[in-house]
């Protein structure tokens, strides 16, 4: 329970306050892993999955073979190869539009599928006969698709092939996408009015369970403690049975089991590219020095990034102008910032006292960093420009007081440091003046992380501390202010109960953690009395 409280605090108020520098680094790393040279293995596995989903199994086999970049090793698994070829047989029968097409499907069955059915695995021949019967009985009726069941078998097989290719090549899913999959699953399972439906197009329908039977002796009967099964169940939004099967498949490796379950969520890759391109543009990532990474290389693999980068380099984008102005203002060059903004957004500074105030405030702070010889000039700005702007917008009075306080402390020898937040604050002021919200990726992550935090605090889902990648990625996005906050102690009534007691009651009741704790409180922690209440 302590872990659950900790994780909830990690993401609390994420939408309102995120560590944007950490998100910058995460976006850059994601772009590198998705679109640069090292992303080939992941790309090939995704193309193979898309081919199976579209019914083109032959293309999927080519992606898995050396022909299109695969290693070919995954097809040495006769179980997987048989299932792929059986699916291709059903797809041929589904597409058959006459006797000649059906004969072609049956010939493929005799020459390619039948020999493999005899040696793939014990149940393969029975599956082969069932497929043959389905094809022969389906004929050309209107219910042919339903009888063949080809479309229904695509998602699980597509995911199985993709997973096998990823394991063979060691392809790693970017941390950001893994976190997004987890959060979108929570969003789909726990409807919440606070999180808008605009996030849902990021993910396409979830694939069904796809793990092939484990051939390791004794693995099919392996039992795992509830303290492992239940967190996996909640993190992947699956049943306890599915969580157990995933753990068996990966020999109890809970991280690998979670990743395999999360990969069932097919993200909209085009939408992800657009989110990354917009975020990089709005945050000025294209102009920052990146070691061992080139946005130009990433642009070759992502049309959205290519378009955004071209606009940025040409200096034609409004986002570029806003970014240049924010950079100039943060450096204390107020006249340059105002000129850039007036050129791109005529009249914006004049009609926005808050934006003008932030630009002038940054000039004042720059003068203070220049030494005591410029202190009088800074005081003139505070007494003149800033005071006039407060008269136009009284809501700026608190900002003026904060600025004057910095002058007083400076005069006492405290000095003024460049906190690195100047550019961020000016950019925010420009966005507010334009009526533009934060980048969509920031909003999406913020909203979804807040939802996750609420679910953790309400004990709707168990703590995630067993999943290091998820926890560390979410924790890295936490703002410095939130990190300094008190994480708090779990409620007193929760501290009274053993964790194993809570988990046992949850499992027997198939209920949430909150309901189990409520029942334990009613019966003073007596597990037997709780069970009697439920089952008697």
């Amino acid at each position: 329970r302590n872990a659950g409280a900790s994780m909830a605090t990690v993401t609390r108020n994420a939408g309102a306050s995120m560590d944007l520098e950490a998100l910058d680094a995460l976006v850059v790393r994601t772009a590198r892993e998705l679109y640069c040279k090292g992303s080939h293995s992941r790309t090939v596995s995704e193309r193979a999955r898309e081919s199976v989903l579209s019914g083109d199994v032959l293309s999927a086999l080519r992606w898995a073979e050396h022909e299109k970049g695969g290693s070919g090793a995954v097809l040495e698994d006769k179980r997987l190869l048989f299932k792929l070829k059986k699916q291709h047989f059903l797809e041929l029968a589904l597409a058959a539009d006459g006797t000649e097409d059906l004969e072609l499907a049956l010939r493929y069955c005799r020459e390619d599928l039948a020999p493999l059915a005899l040696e793939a695995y014990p149940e393969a021949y029975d599956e082969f006969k069932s497929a043959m019967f389905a094809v022969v009985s389906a004929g050309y009726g209107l219910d042919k698709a339903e009888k063949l069941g080809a479309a229904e078998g695509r998602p699980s097989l597509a995911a199985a092939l993709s997973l096998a290719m990823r394991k063979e090549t060691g392809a790693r899913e970017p941390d950001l996408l893994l976190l997004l999959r987890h959060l979108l699953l929570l969003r789909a399972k726990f409807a919440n009015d606070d999180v808008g439906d605009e996030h849902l197009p990021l993910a396409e329908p979830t694939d069904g369970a796809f793990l092939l039977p484990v051939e390791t002796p004794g693995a099919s009967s392996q039992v795992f403690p509830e303290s492992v099964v239940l967190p996996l169940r909640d993190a992947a939004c699956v049943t306890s049975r599915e969580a157990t099967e995933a753990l068996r498949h990966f020999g109890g490796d809970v991280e690998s089991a979670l990743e395999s379950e999360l990969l069932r969520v097919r993200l909209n890759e085009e939408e992800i590219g657009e989110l990354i391109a917009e975020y990089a543009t709005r945050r000025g990532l294209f102009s920052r020095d990146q070691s061992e990474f080139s946005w130009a290389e990433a642009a070759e693999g992502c049309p959205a990034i290519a378009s955004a980068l071209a606009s940025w380099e040409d200096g034609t984008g409004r986002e570029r102008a806003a970014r240049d102005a924010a950079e100039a203002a943060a450096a204390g060059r107020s006249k340059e910032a105002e000129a850039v903004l007036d050129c791109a957004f005529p009249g914006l500074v004049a009609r926005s006292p808050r934006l003008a105030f932030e630009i002038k405030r940054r000039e004042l702070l720059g003068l203070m960093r220049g030494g005591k010889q410029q202190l009088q000039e800074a005081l003139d700005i505070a007494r003149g420009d800033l005071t006039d702007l407060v008269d136009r917008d009284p809501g700026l009075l608190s900002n003026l007081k904060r600025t004057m306080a910095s002058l007083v402390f400076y005069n006492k020898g405290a000095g003024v440091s460049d906190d690195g937040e100047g550019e961020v604050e000016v950019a925010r002021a420009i966005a507010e003046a334009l009526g533009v919200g934060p980048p969509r990726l920031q909003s999406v992550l913020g909203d979804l992380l807040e939802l996750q935090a609420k679910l953790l605090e309400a004990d709707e889902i168990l703590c995630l501390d067993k999943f290091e990648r998820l926890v560390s990625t979410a924790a890295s996005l936490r703002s410095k202010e939130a990190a300094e906050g008190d994480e708090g102690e779990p409620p007193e009534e929760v501290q009274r109960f053993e964790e194993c007691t809570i988990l046992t009651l949850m499992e027997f009741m198939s209920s949430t953690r909150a309901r189990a704790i409520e029942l334990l409180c009613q019966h003073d922690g007596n597990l037997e009395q709780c069970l009697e209440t439920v089952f008697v």
Side-chain angles (χ1 to χ4, degrees):
R1 179 64 180 87
N2 275 304
S6 174
M7 185 59 195
T9 309
V10 163
T11 54
R12 186 180 294 121
N13 297 325
S17 182
M18 295 181 70
D19 187 337
L20 295 184
E21 291 298 326
L23 184 54
D24 291 347
L26 186 60
V27 167
V28 169
R29 190 166 76 243
T30 302
R32 182 179 68 242
E33 294 173 351
L34 282 178
Y35 307 120
C36 295
K37 292 179 181 178
S39 67
H40 179 70
S41 297
R42 180 189 180 276
T43 301
V44 168
S45 68
E46 285 302 299
R47 296 295 176 269
R49 168 149 64 173
E50 291 167 6
S51 297
V52 175
L53 289 170
S54 66
D56 188 358
V57 180
L58 282 184
S59 290
L61 289 168
R62 295 190 190 102
W63 280 112
E65 294 169 348
H66 293 288
E67 183 177 340
K68 290 192 175 182
S71 68
V74 294
L75 300 182
E76 295 175 6
D77 180 351
K78 292 183 179 180
R79 178 185 294 273
L80 180 57
L81 182 60
F82 170 78
K83 289 186 177 292
L84 286 166
K85 291 196 170 187
K86 184 186 73 171
Q87 182 69 25
H88 180 55
F89 171 50
L90 294 174
E91 299 287 359
L92 288 174
L94 179 63
D97 196 27
T99 305
E100 185 175 340
D101 292 338
L102 186 57
E103 287 179 353
L104 179 66
L106 292 172
R107 184 164 66 250
Y108 175 83
C109 179
R110 288 193 301 271
E111 296 176 1
D112 289 83
L113 187 59
L116 191 58
L118 297 173
E119 59 180 11
Y121 52 94
E123 301 86 1
Y125 192 67
D126 289 336
E127 293 181 21
F128 165 75
K129 289 189 294 183
S130 297
M132 278 288 295
F133 178 77
V135 170
V136 172
S137 62
Y140 305 103
L142 295 176
D143 60 347
K144 180 175 73 169
E146 183 180 349
K147 288 183 177 179
L148 290 173
E152 289 77 3
R154 290 171 187 169
S156 59
L157 187 58
L161 177 60
S162 176
L163 176 64
M165 293 176 67
R166 285 171 179 268
K167 288 177 65 177
E168 181 62 35
T169 59
R172 175 186 170 91
E173 187 70 359
D175 292 339
L176 174 60
L177 300 194
L178 206 63
L179 177 63
L180 267 176
R181 284 182 164 93
H182 161 69
L183 295 174
L184 289 168
L185 280 174
L186 294 180
R187 170 66 183 89
K189 181 176 180 180
F190 299 94
N192 188 302
D193 293 337
D194 296 336
V195 183
D197 290 339
E198 67 271 14
H199 304 332
L200 297 183
L202 280 174
E204 298 174 18
T206 304
D207 292 334
F210 59 81
L211 294 176
L212 299 173
V214 182
E215 297 182 348
T216 306
S220 59
S221 60
Q222 192 172 1
V223 178
F224 301 95
E226 292 169 349
S227 59
V228 174
V229 174
L230 296 184
L232 177 58
R233 177 199 68 183
D234 289 354
C237 295
V238 296
T239 65
S240 295
R241 180 177 178 277
E242 289 171 333
T244 301
E245 289 299 319
L247 286 166
R248 287 171 178 167
H249 188 83
F250 289 96
D253 184 342
V254 68
E255 289 271 13
S256 297
L258 175 63
E259 183 169 353
S260 73
E261 290 299 305
L262 293 181
L263 287 175
R264 293 165 53 204
V265 180
R266 300 195 307 277
L267 292 176
N268 186 325
E269 298 277 344
E270 182 178 345
E271 183 77 9
I272 293 297
E274 291 175 0
L275 287 176
I276 290 175
E278 185 215 23
Y279 185 88
T281 301
R282 296 277 299 277
R283 291 285 295 161
L285 301 185
F286 294 140
S287 61
R288 300 187 191 180
D289 293 332
Q290 306 290 351
S291 59
E292 302 179 3
F293 172 69
S294 165
W295 282 107
E297 183 182 351
E300 295 177 5
C302 179
I305 292 178
S307 176
L309 182 60
S311 176
W312 181 273
E313 290 177 341
D314 292 343
T316 57
R318 289 159 62 91
E319 293 86 356
R320 173 65 183 269
R323 194 68 196 180
D324 288 347
E327 184 179 349
R333 304 192 302 272
S334 62
K335 288 184 172 55
E336 178 185 338
E338 291 172 357
V340 171
L341 289 173
D342 283 337
C343 181
F345 314 102
L348 180 66
V349 178
R351 63 176 179 266
S352 176
R354 287 185 174 274
L355 174 57
F357 184 95
E358 186 60 35
I359 291 174
K360 281 297 182 181
R361 191 172 81 88
R362 286 293 151 183
E363 181 184 3
L364 179 151
L365 294 175
L367 289 170
M368 290 170 63
R369 285 192 293 272
K372 290 192 175 182
Q373 63 272 21
Q374 294 180 303
L375 183 59
Q376 185 58 50
E377 193 174 348
L379 285 169
D380 291 342
I381 293 176
R383 293 167 178 166
D385 296 320
L386 296 188
T387 302
D388 291 343
L389 289 168
V390 169
D391 291 339
R392 290 177 57 193
D393 183 354
L396 292 170
L397 182 58
S398 60
N399 292 1
L400 177 61
K401 289 179 178 179
R402 180 161 57 100
T403 304
M404 294 302 292
S406 65
L407 277 168
V408 171
F409 284 116
Y410 177 84
N411 205 30
K412 291 182 178 180
V416 176
S417 63
D418 183 359
D419 56 9
E421 292 295 320
E423 195 170 332
V424 174
E425 291 187 14
V426 177
R428 185 183 297 121
I430 294 172
E432 289 176 357
L434 291 170
V436 178
R440 284 187 300 152
L441 180 61
Q442 180 185 342
S443 297
V444 167
L445 280 172
D447 289 347
L448 293 175
L449 285 169
E450 280 194 30
L451 172 62
Q452 181 203 54
K454 290 176 181 177
L455 293 173
L456 285 163
E457 289 176 340
D459 290 316
E460 292 289 341
I461 59 175
L462 292 178
C463 65
L464 304 174
D465 282 16
K466 293 185 181 298
F467 312 109
E468 184 179 349
R469 286 184 66 187
L470 278 186
V471 171
S472 60
T473 304
S476 70
L477 300 178
R478 186 184 179 195
S479 69
K480 296 179 178 64
E481 291 80 5
E484 293 171 356
D486 181 17
E487 294 187 351
E489 290 295 325
E492 183 178 348
E493 64 269 18
V494 177
Q495 298 182 52
R496 293 164 46 198
F497 309 130
E498 295 282 344
E499 182 71 13
C500 60
T501 302
I502 299 173
L503 294 175
T504 300
L505 189 54
M506 286 177 62
E507 182 68 14
F508 273 104
M509 295 172 58
S510 297
S511 74
T512 65
R513 182 183 181 89
R515 175 61 183 134
I517 292 173
E518 180 184 352
L519 197 59
L520 285 167
C521 289
Q522 293 173 6
H523 295 279
D524 199 27
N526 191 309
L527 180 59
E528 292 183 2
Q529 290 182 12
C530 292
L531 294 176
E532 287 178 5
T533 302
V534 174
F535 295 107
V536 176

